[in-house]
Amino acid sequence: MRVTHGLPLARQTTLGIGGPAAVFADLQDLADFPEFVSLADSFPGAPTCLGAGSNALVADAGCSSPVLRMNTKGVRFVGEAVDGRTLVEVQAGHPLSDLVDTALGHGLIGLEMLAGIPGTVGATPVQNVGAYGQEISDTLVEVTAWDWLTRRRVTLDAAACRLGHRTSVFKGSSRWTLLTVVFALRKSVLSAPISYRMVAERLDIPVGSQVPPAEASQAVLAVRRGKGMVLGFSDVDRRTVGSVFFSPELTPAQVRQLEDEGAAVNRFPDGSTRVSASWLIRRAGFALGSPVAKGVRVSYLHHTLIADVGASAAGFTEAIDVVVQRVLERTGIRLTPEIDFLGDWHEGHYSTVVESTISGPTGR
Ligand SMILES: Cc1cc2nc3c(=O)[nH]c(=O)nc-3n(C[C@H](O)[C@H](O)[C@H](O)COP(=O)(O)OP(=O)(O)OC[C@H]3O[C@@H](n4cnc5c(N)ncnc54)[C@H](O)[C@@H]3O)c2cc1C
């Protein structure tokens, strides 16, 4: 485990925003985790966990609690589930994109639509990562985690993780540090049914068809590139967290209204019906590339917020507020942030929208 003092967290996040970490521990070997527990014990409060920083907005003040960067890697095939699926145990710091490729290489399906999503496997249960009709909840069997409340290593099965639409028992809480994740993946020569129109169009097949899994992944990647939703694809829009806001749940009346206005409304595995935040942001009149607050603008490719020259956490939260207010005024729908606010956010220094997000469930 490498420990550094005063490391700027901006370099550890895809937004490139955030002050220094008082203590930054880079964990590459799970065997060193007890050493981190001893280190964290000399600080008040729960430590902060960071994967690849692709869903995180770190405060300008940085982080006074120890920051643990999960950098542990490894994929193990650990047996068969009762339904015949292959069980795969993955270290929390392992890149999701590598896991998707490994699964495809072994003829296993269940993760193929998640191609192109940045970040680590340990972060995937936190917001039940998902895209194009597939979610981590489809394949997650259990996680092992360190519970900072009971000070024990625990195993939580899928039910205990309470995975919902971009949420779980871990979202907004620093109680657990996820150490490993076990997935059950199915051997198949065909992908899951293609449920998204844009992906089906790319493949030139009807919605609901199945194709070889690698073809499904490639089509998803192509659609994502077109929206700047793959890191490193667009240089100008490279400081991104993907979607900043949840796709809001709609009432039946809102579904009817938005479908009349041409919105693509999607039904999710938890039974909810939602429209993408990007559709609402466009509807509210934000033009691609337009500035929203100091150092923050709309992406050139997609209706999401991007950090630019002069960006700060204060500017980004101001931009969040501007978008939430204007979308509410123009569409009657309230957006809420999906990104995680990490570090020392001092009361009164940020907007009411952000404050209400941060004061959700917290640590030990
Ligand atoms: C271009 C782009 C596209 C994206 N597209 C999608 C998408 O399609 N679907 C989607 O769901 N998300 C998407 N995201 C968001 C992001 O990639 C995911 O949320 C991802 O899982 C974050 O992983 P990370 O390792 O970067 O986590 P981080 O950003 O480092 O952390 C995210 C949260 O998880 C916590 N955390 C991280 N690791 C652990 C751990 N081991 N134990 C406990 N808590 C932990 C952190 O404390 C923080 O609260 C996108 C992001 C970008 C930049």
Side-chain angles (χ1 to χ4, degrees), residues 14 48-56 70 92 116-120 122-124 126-131 166 176-179 224 228-231 240-243 338 340 342:
T14 57
T48 297
C49 196
L50 200 61
S54 65
N55 206 43
M70 285 308 271
I117 302 181
T120 56
T124 59
V126 174
Q127 67 162 14
N128 184 20
V129 158
R166 300 299 162 270
W176 295 274
T177 294
L178 277 77
L179 306 174
R224 296 185 71 97
M229 281 292 185
V230 178
L231 275 186
T240 175
V241 275
S243 181
E338 174 191 298
D340 296 298
L342 304 184

Short mmCIF file of all heavy atoms in Angstrom, two decimals, residues 14 48-56 70 92 116-120 122-124 126-131 166 176-179 224 228-231 240-243 338 340 342, ligand 1:
data_model
loop_
_atom_site.label_atom_id
_atom_site.label_comp_id
_atom_site.label_asym_id
_atom_site.label_seq_id
_atom_site.Cartn_x
_atom_site.Cartn_y
_atom_site.Cartn_z
N THR A 14 -12.26 11.98 -13.04
CA THR A 14 -12.39 12.29 -14.47
C THR A 14 -12.83 13.74 -14.70
O THR A 14 -12.61 14.28 -15.79
CB THR A 14 -13.38 11.32 -15.15
OG1 THR A 14 -14.63 11.41 -14.47
CG2 THR A 14 -12.88 9.89 -15.11
N THR A 48 -12.87 7.73 3.08
CA THR A 48 -13.55 7.91 1.80
C THR A 48 -12.95 6.94 0.80
O THR A 48 -11.73 6.79 0.75
CB THR A 48 -13.31 9.36 1.30
OG1 THR A 48 -13.92 10.24 2.25
CG2 THR A 48 -13.91 9.60 -0.06
N CYS A 49 -13.82 6.28 0.04
CA CYS A 49 -13.32 5.30 -0.92
C CYS A 49 -13.41 5.88 -2.34
O CYS A 49 -14.37 6.57 -2.68
CB CYS A 49 -14.16 4.04 -0.81
SG CYS A 49 -13.37 2.66 -1.60
N LEU A 50 -12.42 5.61 -3.12
CA LEU A 50 -12.38 6.10 -4.50
C LEU A 50 -11.97 4.95 -5.42
O LEU A 50 -11.05 4.19 -5.09
CB LEU A 50 -11.34 7.23 -4.58
CG LEU A 50 -11.42 8.20 -5.74
CD1 LEU A 50 -12.74 8.96 -5.74
CD2 LEU A 50 -10.26 9.20 -5.65
N GLY A 51 -12.69 4.84 -6.54
CA GLY A 51 -12.25 3.90 -7.57
C GLY A 51 -11.49 4.69 -8.61
O GLY A 51 -10.42 5.24 -8.33
N ALA A 52 -12.07 4.80 -9.80
CA ALA A 52 -11.42 5.58 -10.86
C ALA A 52 -11.90 7.03 -10.87
O ALA A 52 -11.52 7.80 -11.76
CB ALA A 52 -11.70 4.93 -12.21
N GLY A 53 -12.74 7.41 -9.94
CA GLY A 53 -13.20 8.80 -9.84
C GLY A 53 -14.06 9.23 -11.02
O GLY A 53 -14.09 10.42 -11.36
N SER A 54 -14.81 8.29 -11.63
CA SER A 54 -15.59 8.65 -12.82
C SER A 54 -17.05 8.99 -12.50
O SER A 54 -17.84 9.24 -13.41
CB SER A 54 -15.52 7.54 -13.87
OG SER A 54 -16.14 6.37 -13.39
N ASN A 55 -17.38 8.96 -11.20
CA ASN A 55 -18.74 9.39 -10.82
C ASN A 55 -18.66 10.33 -9.62
O ASN A 55 -19.60 10.44 -8.86
CB ASN A 55 -19.60 8.18 -10.47
CG ASN A 55 -21.07 8.45 -10.68
OD1 ASN A 55 -21.46 9.05 -11.69
ND2 ASN A 55 -21.90 8.06 -9.73
N ALA A 56 -17.51 10.99 -9.44
CA ALA A 56 -17.27 11.72 -8.20
C ALA A 56 -17.00 13.20 -8.45
O ALA A 56 -16.25 13.57 -9.36
CB ALA A 56 -16.06 11.10 -7.50
N MET A 70 -9.05 2.18 -4.37
CA MET A 70 -9.06 0.74 -4.59
C MET A 70 -8.41 0.44 -5.93
O MET A 70 -8.94 0.79 -6.99
CB MET A 70 -10.50 0.21 -4.57
CG MET A 70 -11.11 0.13 -3.21
SD MET A 70 -10.12 -0.77 -2.00
CE MET A 70 -10.70 -2.42 -2.25
N ALA A 92 -12.19 -5.45 -6.19
CA ALA A 92 -12.91 -4.18 -6.30
C ALA A 92 -12.23 -3.17 -7.21
O ALA A 92 -12.89 -2.36 -7.86
CB ALA A 92 -13.09 -3.58 -4.91
N GLY A 116 -17.79 0.13 -22.30
CA GLY A 116 -17.57 1.58 -22.43
C GLY A 116 -17.84 2.36 -21.16
O GLY A 116 -17.56 3.56 -21.10
N ILE A 117 -18.39 1.72 -20.13
CA ILE A 117 -18.61 2.44 -18.86
C ILE A 117 -17.28 2.43 -18.10
O ILE A 117 -16.73 1.37 -17.84
CB ILE A 117 -19.72 1.80 -18.01
CG1 ILE A 117 -21.03 1.75 -18.79
CG2 ILE A 117 -19.90 2.55 -16.69
CD1 ILE A 117 -22.20 1.14 -18.03
N PRO A 118 -16.76 3.62 -17.77
CA PRO A 118 -15.48 3.63 -17.05
C PRO A 118 -15.65 3.22 -15.59
O PRO A 118 -16.77 3.08 -15.11
CB PRO A 118 -15.02 5.09 -17.16
CG PRO A 118 -16.24 5.87 -17.45
CD PRO A 118 -17.28 4.96 -18.01
N GLY A 119 -14.54 3.05 -14.91
CA GLY A 119 -14.60 2.82 -13.47
C GLY A 119 -14.23 1.41 -13.07
O GLY A 119 -13.92 0.56 -13.90
N THR A 120 -14.29 1.20 -11.76
CA THR A 120 -13.86 -0.06 -11.17
C THR A 120 -15.06 -0.94 -10.85
O THR A 120 -16.18 -0.44 -10.66
CB THR A 120 -13.11 0.23 -9.85
OG1 THR A 120 -13.97 0.99 -9.01
CG2 THR A 120 -11.81 1.00 -10.10
N GLY A 122 -15.61 -2.53 -8.09
CA GLY A 122 -16.09 -2.29 -6.72
C GLY A 122 -17.11 -1.17 -6.63
O GLY A 122 -17.91 -1.13 -5.70
N ALA A 123 -17.07 -0.26 -7.59
CA ALA A 123 -18.04 0.85 -7.57
C ALA A 123 -19.35 0.46 -8.25
O ALA A 123 -20.35 1.16 -8.09
CB ALA A 123 -17.45 2.07 -8.26
N THR A 124 -19.37 -0.65 -8.99
CA THR A 124 -20.58 -0.95 -9.78
C THR A 124 -21.83 -1.23 -8.93
O THR A 124 -22.92 -0.81 -9.31
CB THR A 124 -20.36 -2.10 -10.79
OG1 THR A 124 -19.97 -3.28 -10.09
CG2 THR A 124 -19.33 -1.74 -11.84
N VAL A 126 -22.52 0.20 -6.18
CA VAL A 126 -22.88 1.42 -5.44
C VAL A 126 -24.10 2.08 -6.08
O VAL A 126 -25.05 2.43 -5.38
CB VAL A 126 -21.68 2.40 -5.37
CG1 VAL A 126 -22.10 3.73 -4.74
CG2 VAL A 126 -20.52 1.77 -4.59
N GLN A 127 -24.07 2.23 -7.41
CA GLN A 127 -25.28 2.80 -8.02
C GLN A 127 -25.88 1.82 -9.02
O GLN A 127 -26.51 2.22 -9.99
CB GLN A 127 -24.98 4.16 -8.66
CG GLN A 127 -24.09 4.17 -9.86
CD GLN A 127 -24.25 5.46 -10.64
OE1 GLN A 127 -24.81 6.44 -10.17
NE2 GLN A 127 -23.75 5.47 -11.87
N ASN A 128 -25.66 0.52 -8.75
CA ASN A 128 -26.24 -0.50 -9.64
C ASN A 128 -26.05 -0.06 -11.09
O ASN A 128 -27.00 0.17 -11.83
CB ASN A 128 -27.72 -0.71 -9.31
CG ASN A 128 -28.34 -1.83 -10.13
OD1 ASN A 128 -27.65 -2.69 -10.66
ND2 ASN A 128 -29.66 -1.80 -10.24
N VAL A 129 -24.78 0.05 -11.45
CA VAL A 129 -24.40 0.58 -12.77
C VAL A 129 -25.18 -0.14 -13.88
O VAL A 129 -25.38 -1.35 -13.83
CB VAL A 129 -22.87 0.41 -12.96
CG1 VAL A 129 -22.47 0.43 -14.42
CG2 VAL A 129 -22.14 1.50 -12.18
N GLY A 130 -25.61 0.63 -14.84
CA GLY A 130 -26.39 0.02 -15.92
C GLY A 130 -26.41 0.87 -17.16
O GLY A 130 -26.09 2.07 -17.12
N ALA A 131 -26.73 0.24 -18.27
CA ALA A 131 -26.88 0.95 -19.54
C ALA A 131 -27.49 0.01 -20.57
O ALA A 131 -27.26 -1.20 -20.52
CB ALA A 131 -25.51 1.43 -20.05
N ARG A 166 -30.11 2.86 -10.24
CA ARG A 166 -28.89 3.65 -9.94
C ARG A 166 -28.76 3.93 -8.45
O ARG A 166 -28.35 5.01 -8.04
CB ARG A 166 -28.88 4.99 -10.71
CG ARG A 166 -28.91 4.88 -12.19
CD ARG A 166 -27.71 4.14 -12.79
NE ARG A 166 -28.06 3.72 -14.13
CZ ARG A 166 -28.63 2.53 -14.40
NH1 ARG A 166 -28.83 1.64 -13.46
NH2 ARG A 166 -28.95 2.23 -15.62
N TRP A 176 -19.53 0.98 4.23
CA TRP A 176 -18.84 -0.21 3.72
C TRP A 176 -17.77 0.15 2.70
O TRP A 176 -17.98 1.04 1.87
CB TRP A 176 -19.83 -1.14 3.01
CG TRP A 176 -20.88 -1.73 3.89
CD1 TRP A 176 -20.77 -2.88 4.64
CD2 TRP A 176 -22.21 -1.26 4.11
NE1 TRP A 176 -21.95 -3.12 5.31
CE2 TRP A 176 -22.84 -2.15 5.00
CE3 TRP A 176 -22.92 -0.16 3.63
CZ2 TRP A 176 -24.16 -1.96 5.43
CZ3 TRP A 176 -24.23 0.03 4.06
CH2 TRP A 176 -24.84 -0.86 4.94
N THR A 177 -16.67 -0.57 2.75
CA THR A 177 -15.72 -0.55 1.63
C THR A 177 -15.83 -1.90 0.93
O THR A 177 -15.60 -2.95 1.55
CB THR A 177 -14.27 -0.34 2.13
OG1 THR A 177 -14.18 0.96 2.71
CG2 THR A 177 -13.28 -0.47 0.99
N LEU A 178 -16.23 -1.88 -0.33
CA LEU A 178 -16.39 -3.14 -1.06
C LEU A 178 -15.01 -3.68 -1.45
O LEU A 178 -14.16 -2.93 -1.95
CB LEU A 178 -17.25 -2.93 -2.31
CG LEU A 178 -18.75 -2.98 -2.01
CD1 LEU A 178 -19.22 -1.69 -1.36
CD2 LEU A 178 -19.54 -3.21 -3.27
N LEU A 179 -14.83 -4.98 -1.21
CA LEU A 179 -13.52 -5.60 -1.44
C LEU A 179 -13.54 -6.51 -2.67
O LEU A 179 -12.62 -6.49 -3.48
CB LEU A 179 -13.10 -6.40 -0.20
CG LEU A 179 -13.10 -5.60 1.12
CD1 LEU A 179 -12.80 -6.52 2.29
CD2 LEU A 179 -12.08 -4.46 1.06
N ARG A 224 -22.30 4.86 -27.79
CA ARG A 224 -21.74 5.67 -26.69
C ARG A 224 -20.73 6.68 -27.22
O ARG A 224 -20.69 7.82 -26.75
CB ARG A 224 -21.07 4.76 -25.65
CG ARG A 224 -22.01 3.82 -24.93
CD ARG A 224 -21.26 3.06 -23.84
NE ARG A 224 -20.95 3.95 -22.77
CZ ARG A 224 -21.66 4.09 -21.65
NH1 ARG A 224 -22.72 3.34 -21.45
NH2 ARG A 224 -21.31 4.94 -20.72
N GLY A 228 -20.19 10.94 -26.76
CA GLY A 228 -19.07 11.30 -25.88
C GLY A 228 -19.12 10.55 -24.57
O GLY A 228 -18.58 11.00 -23.56
N MET A 229 -19.78 9.39 -24.56
CA MET A 229 -19.96 8.64 -23.31
C MET A 229 -18.90 7.55 -23.14
O MET A 229 -19.12 6.56 -22.44
CB MET A 229 -21.37 8.02 -23.27
CG MET A 229 -22.40 9.03 -22.88
SD MET A 229 -22.18 9.54 -21.15
CE MET A 229 -23.58 10.58 -20.93
N VAL A 230 -17.79 7.71 -23.85
CA VAL A 230 -16.64 6.81 -23.66
C VAL A 230 -15.45 7.70 -23.34
O VAL A 230 -15.16 8.64 -24.10
CB VAL A 230 -16.36 6.00 -24.95
CG1 VAL A 230 -15.14 5.11 -24.77
CG2 VAL A 230 -17.57 5.17 -25.33
N LEU A 231 -14.78 7.44 -22.25
CA LEU A 231 -13.66 8.29 -21.86
C LEU A 231 -12.55 8.23 -22.89
O LEU A 231 -12.26 7.18 -23.43
CB LEU A 231 -13.08 7.82 -20.52
CG LEU A 231 -13.73 8.32 -19.25
CD1 LEU A 231 -12.92 7.86 -18.05
CD2 LEU A 231 -13.89 9.83 -19.24
N THR A 240 -15.46 14.60 -17.82
CA THR A 240 -16.88 14.24 -17.71
C THR A 240 -17.12 13.20 -16.62
O THR A 240 -16.20 12.45 -16.27
CB THR A 240 -17.36 13.68 -19.08
OG1 THR A 240 -18.70 13.22 -18.95
CG2 THR A 240 -16.50 12.52 -19.57
N VAL A 241 -18.35 13.16 -16.12
CA VAL A 241 -18.78 12.05 -15.26
C VAL A 241 -19.94 11.30 -15.94
O VAL A 241 -20.72 10.62 -15.29
CB VAL A 241 -19.25 12.52 -13.86
CG1 VAL A 241 -18.10 12.68 -12.91
CG2 VAL A 241 -20.08 13.78 -13.95
N GLY A 242 -20.05 11.43 -17.25
CA GLY A 242 -21.20 10.82 -17.92
C GLY A 242 -22.44 11.61 -17.54
O GLY A 242 -22.46 12.84 -17.58
N SER A 243 -23.48 10.89 -17.12
CA SER A 243 -24.70 11.59 -16.73
C SER A 243 -24.53 12.17 -15.31
O SER A 243 -24.14 11.46 -14.40
CB SER A 243 -25.89 10.63 -16.75
OG SER A 243 -27.05 11.32 -16.38
N GLU A 338 -26.96 12.46 -9.72
CA GLU A 338 -26.59 11.04 -9.61
C GLU A 338 -25.14 10.90 -9.12
O GLU A 338 -24.75 9.87 -8.57
CB GLU A 338 -26.74 10.41 -11.01
CG GLU A 338 -26.26 8.98 -11.10
CD GLU A 338 -26.17 8.49 -12.55
OE1 GLU A 338 -27.21 8.43 -13.22
OE2 GLU A 338 -25.05 8.16 -12.98
N ASP A 340 -21.59 11.37 -7.03
CA ASP A 340 -21.30 11.30 -5.59
C ASP A 340 -20.43 12.48 -5.19
O ASP A 340 -19.42 12.77 -5.83
CB ASP A 340 -20.59 9.98 -5.29
CG ASP A 340 -21.50 8.80 -5.58
OD1 ASP A 340 -22.55 8.69 -4.95
OD2 ASP A 340 -21.17 8.01 -6.49
N LEU A 342 -17.87 13.86 -2.79
CA LEU A 342 -16.88 13.33 -1.84
C LEU A 342 -16.05 14.46 -1.25
O LEU A 342 -15.86 15.50 -1.88
CB LEU A 342 -15.96 12.33 -2.55
CG LEU A 342 -16.62 11.14 -3.25
CD1 LEU A 342 -15.56 10.19 -3.83
CD2 LEU A 342 -17.54 10.36 -2.31
C1 LIG B 1 -17.98 8.86 -19.86
C2 LIG B 1 -18.76 8.24 -18.73
C3 LIG B 1 -19.84 7.42 -18.99
C4 LIG B 1 -20.56 6.82 -17.94
N1 LIG B 1 -21.61 6.01 -18.24
C5 LIG B 1 -22.30 5.39 -17.25
C6 LIG B 1 -23.41 4.52 -17.55
O1 LIG B 1 -23.74 4.29 -18.71
N2 LIG B 1 -24.06 3.93 -16.53
C7 LIG B 1 -23.70 4.13 -15.22
O2 LIG B 1 -24.34 3.55 -14.32
N3 LIG B 1 -22.67 4.96 -14.90
C8 LIG B 1 -21.96 5.58 -15.88
N4 LIG B 1 -20.91 6.42 -15.58
C9 LIG B 1 -20.60 6.69 -14.17
C10 LIG B 1 -19.43 5.85 -13.61
O3 LIG B 1 -18.60 5.38 -14.61
C11 LIG B 1 -19.93 4.68 -12.79
O4 LIG B 1 -20.74 5.15 -11.73
C12 LIG B 1 -18.79 3.86 -12.21
O5 LIG B 1 -19.28 2.71 -11.54
C13 LIG B 1 -17.91 4.64 -11.23
O6 LIG B 1 -16.77 3.85 -10.95
P1 LIG B 1 -15.49 4.51 -10.29
O7 LIG B 1 -14.56 3.41 -9.98
O8 LIG B 1 -14.96 5.58 -11.16
O9 LIG B 1 -16.11 5.10 -8.96
P2 LIG B 1 -15.78 6.48 -8.25
O10 LIG B 1 -16.26 7.60 -9.09
O11 LIG B 1 -14.37 6.50 -7.82
O12 LIG B 1 -16.71 6.36 -6.98
C14 LIG B 1 -18.12 6.41 -7.13
C15 LIG B 1 -18.76 6.13 -5.77
O13 LIG B 1 -18.52 4.78 -5.39
C16 LIG B 1 -17.83 4.73 -4.15
N5 LIG B 1 -16.87 3.64 -4.26
C17 LIG B 1 -15.97 3.43 -5.25
N6 LIG B 1 -15.32 2.28 -5.04
C18 LIG B 1 -15.84 1.75 -3.88
C19 LIG B 1 -15.57 0.58 -3.12
N7 LIG B 1 -14.64 -0.30 -3.48
N8 LIG B 1 -16.27 0.40 -1.98
C20 LIG B 1 -17.20 1.28 -1.56
N9 LIG B 1 -17.51 2.39 -2.25
C21 LIG B 1 -16.83 2.62 -3.39
C22 LIG B 1 -17.18 6.11 -3.99
O14 LIG B 1 -16.97 6.43 -2.64
C23 LIG B 1 -18.21 6.99 -4.65
O15 LIG B 1 -19.25 7.24 -3.75
C24 LIG B 1 -20.19 7.05 -16.61
C25 LIG B 1 -19.09 7.90 -16.34
C26 LIG B 1 -18.39 8.49 -17.39
C27 LIG B 1 -17.21 9.37 -17.08
#
